[in-house]
């Protein structure tokens, strides 16, 4: 009987942990927590202890660990004026001012373009607050390739996608590298490697 009771208790604990984020927490609806974590990460802030565990699906901690150099590297900076960017989509995406440049080593540089799909409304903790934004499909990102450099690859990173990193095909067009981003659900990163 004790073993049966312990097994049932373990199941209940797991159900409680898995369901905890579904409970209504004042000002911390699932959508709002996801935006809080995404925007904080884009600007380089580390999540507070366990903060990413509130976000569903729960792969964000793994994602942030795997790709930490693209969001937390102290050498990340604003791209120079010689790397203009253009993002085009059917609906607005937040991206301006959110690009970062990283010198990975003497021969490799990365341009990180954060794409954030804005929430449906700018209110929090109201009826219907858990509505996620409608995904933006088929956005185009263009980055000017600095003179003397060559694009060696482009990755699309998304903490909610499986797999979380997908190589993107890119085309060269008059000194620009152009990629098509199939979908931005909430937050994605396009990483150009030079």
């Amino acid at each position: 009987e004790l073993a049966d009771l312990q097994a049932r208790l373990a199941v209940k604990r797991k159900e409680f942990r898995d369901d905890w984020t579904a409970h209504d927490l004042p000002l911390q609806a699932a959508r709002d927590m996801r935006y809080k974590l995404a925007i904080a990460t884009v600007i380089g802030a580390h999540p507070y202890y366990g903060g990413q565990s509130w976000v569903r699906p729960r792969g964000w901690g793994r994602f942030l660990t795997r790709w930490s150099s693209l969001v937390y590297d102290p050498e990340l900076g604003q791209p120079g004026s010689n790397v203009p960017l253009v993002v085009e989509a059917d609906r607005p995406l937040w991206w301006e001012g959110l690009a970062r440049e990283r010198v990975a080593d003497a021969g490799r540089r990365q341009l990180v373009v954060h794409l954030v799909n804005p929430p449906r409304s700018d209110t929090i903790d109201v009826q219907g607050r858990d509505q996620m934004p409608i995904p933006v499909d088929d956005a185009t990102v263009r980055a000017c390739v600095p003179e003397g450099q060559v694009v060696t690859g482009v990755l699309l990173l998304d903490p909610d996608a499986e797999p979380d990193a997908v190589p993107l095909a890119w085309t060269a067009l008059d000194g620009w590298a152009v990629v098509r981003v199939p979908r931005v659900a909430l937050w994605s990163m396009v990483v150009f490697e030079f």
Side-chain angles (χ1 to χ4, degrees):
E1 268 183 36
L2 180 59
D4 182 51
L5 181 61
Q6 288 173 331
R8 284 187 295 158
L9 183 59
V11 167
K12 287 295 181 190
R13 282 186 185 138
K14 183 181 181 334
E15 287 173 0
F16 177 77
R17 277 195 313 269
D18 289 348
D19 192 45
W20 181 246
T21 58
H23 293 283
D24 288 335
L25 300 173
L27 303 178
Q28 294 184 344
R31 179 203 67 187
D32 300 325
M33 291 298 289
R34 292 167 61 94
Y35 274 106
K36 179 180 174 181
L37 180 59
I39 292 169
T41 301
V42 166
I43 63 172
H46 291 264
Y48 60 90
Y49 179 76
Q52 74 281 357
S53 65
W54 290 97
V55 178
R56 292 227 181 211
R58 293 183 187 258
W60 282 47
R62 177 187 48 78
F63 177 84
L64 294 176
T65 300
R66 169 66 181 93
W67 301 104
S68 62
S69 64
L70 299 175
V71 289
Y72 300 135
D73 188 330
E75 299 301 317
L76 278 169
Q78 294 290 330
S81 59
N82 63 336
V83 188
L85 293 167
V86 176
V87 175
E88 297 169 332
D90 289 340
R91 287 196 326 281
L93 286 170
W94 293 340
W95 64 274
E96 293 182 83
L98 302 180
R100 300 291 180 263
E101 187 173 36
R102 175 178 180 261
V103 177
D105 56 44
R108 204 175 91 203
R109 189 173 67 81
Q110 296 167 313
L111 176 64
V112 182
V113 183
H114 295 279
L115 303 173
V116 179
N117 188 358
R120 292 183 184 196
S121 74
D122 57 358
T123 59
I124 59 174
D125 201 28
V126 295
Q127 188 69 21
R129 68 182 174 262
D130 288 332
Q131 288 185 347
M132 295 304 292
I134 298 166
V136 174
D137 293 328
D138 296 320
T140 301
V141 179
R142 293 186 290 152
C144 186
V145 180
E147 182 128 0
Q149 296 192 0
V150 176
V151 175
T152 59
V154 182
L155 281 178
L156 175 64
L157 306 176
D158 183 334
D160 291 327
E162 282 297 330
D164 60 16
V166 176
L168 291 178
W170 60 276
T171 57
L173 183 63
D174 298 326
W176 292 77
V178 182
V179 296
R180 180 187 149 274
V181 178
R183 173 166 279 208
V184 178
L186 181 95
W187 165 51
S188 298
M189 293 188 283
V190 177
V191 182
F192 292 89
E193 298 196 338
F194 301 93

